[in-house]
Amino acid sequence: MAWLRRKTRERGQHRPSGTVVRSSTLISRLIFVLSLLGGLSLLIGFIRFGDHVTSLKTPLGPIRADGAAALTGGSDQRLIAGVKLVESKAVPRLLISGVNRVTTAKEVRAVAGGAEVTYACCIDMGRRATDTIGNAEEAAIWVQVHQIKTLVVITDAYHMPRSLFEMRRAIPDVALIPYPVQTTREFDGDWWKNERPTRALALEYGKYLVSIGRGLLEGDTEIALGQVGLFHKGKTP
């Protein structure tokens, strides 16, 4: 009987260990499946993001707005497009956001083109912004000063989703008109076959997700979800 009781105790001692092992295995499998699904979702999202931004085209039709903001960084085509909108009377005023503090108006004009009189009357240079968030904050002050209700946002196509999101957060009461510029043929067609545009788009996609996440954490849930909704509908977010 003592032998039987000892065996029973031994079997009882081994059961919790087996249960722990099985539970650990299930948790490990669950973590693996969730990680796999998360990675797959990110990959699908990235492909959709890349296809979307590389398909954006510069508007060809007439544009009418109270003002335009060209965001520095990326290509000079942003500034060139903004100056052309002013000189064509599509917009009465342009903000060039993120100009280096030591860059002169003459140097900007050498890059962007346009008449000197255009810069004197209708072009403002923001020198405080150092990133996309700063661009949005700078634009928010500018549109308030000039009482602008409709704003053309000019930036590279790949940068447009994040720019619009930050602008919507900073100036939710202003109607935004996207004006994307495509600056390289590497983004045409099968962009994913080329390492350089794939790397550039992956970096921008990561920054875009961080912006959306920060917006959710800071309470801009409606704007963040609206941005994601527009993206999934194939519209310019």
Side-chain angles (χ1 to χ4, degrees):
M1 292 298 293
W3 174 83
L4 180 59
R5 286 196 296 272
R6 186 169 60 252
K7 284 294 185 180
T8 302
R9 285 199 301 270
E10 289 175 355
R11 285 198 297 269
Q13 289 171 357
H14 286 298
R15 279 176 189 158
S17 177
T19 302
V20 170
V21 170
R22 286 194 297 272
S23 299
S24 177
T25 301
L26 288 173
I27 292 173
S28 298
R29 289 176 179 175
L30 179 60
I31 292 174
F32 173 77
V33 171
L34 292 177
S35 299
L36 186 64
L37 291 175
L40 184 60
S41 298
L42 286 174
L43 178 60
I44 294 173
F46 170 57
I47 293 173
R48 293 194 65 176
F49 177 85
D51 286 342
H52 175 69
V53 298
T54 54
S55 68
L56 295 178
K57 303 297 181 184
T58 303
L60 298 177
I63 288 180
R64 290 290 180 269
D66 299 328
L71 313 186
T72 57
S75 72
D76 295 337
Q77 293 299 318
R78 305 179 183 189
L79 309 187
I80 294 170
V83 173
K84 285 182 177 179
L85 285 179
V86 174
E87 294 200 320
S88 67
K89 309 301 182 183
V91 297
R93 199 165 197 90
L94 170 69
L95 167 67
I96 300 180
S97 176
V99 178
N100 192 293
R101 293 179 184 274
V102 299
T103 302
T104 65
K106 184 178 180 180
E107 290 172 329
V108 172
R109 186 178 164 219
V111 171
E116 186 174 353
V117 65
T118 303
Y119 285 79
C121 75
C122 309
I123 296 179
D124 302 306
M125 297 188 191
R127 299 179 182 273
R128 298 177 60 183
T130 57
D131 55 20
T132 307
I133 298 174
N135 291 143
E137 293 172 347
E138 201 163 57
I141 297 172
W142 187 75
V143 299
Q144 185 175 12
V145 169
H146 296 284
Q147 299 182 334
I148 288 172
K149 300 300 182 184
T150 54
L151 178 71
V152 178
V153 179
I154 308 166
T155 189
D156 289 291
Y158 72 86
H159 186 234
M160 185 58 72
R162 185 159 58 99
S163 299
L164 288 179
F165 178 64
E166 297 297 350
M167 288 285 184
R168 288 188 178 110
R169 293 187 65 200
I171 44 177
D173 297 328
V174 174
L176 303 178
I177 302 173
Y179 197 95
V181 294
Q182 290 286 8
T183 57
T184 173
R185 292 183 178 179
E186 291 180 334
F187 289 139
D188 293 341
D190 297 331
W191 55 269
W192 44 270
K193 293 182 178 180
N194 192 316
E195 181 181 353
R196 182 178 173 184
T198 300
R199 190 187 305 118
L201 290 174
L203 178 61
E204 181 59 30
Y205 180 61
K207 292 180 179 180
Y208 178 60
L209 292 180
V210 170
S211 291
I212 295 294
R214 189 181 63 255
L216 290 171
L217 289 174
E218 293 179 358
D220 290 328
T221 306
E222 185 176 350
I223 296 175
L225 294 180
Q227 182 90 357
V228 174
L230 286 173
F231 179 75
H232 284 288
K233 290 177 182 178
K235 298 180 180 180
T236 303

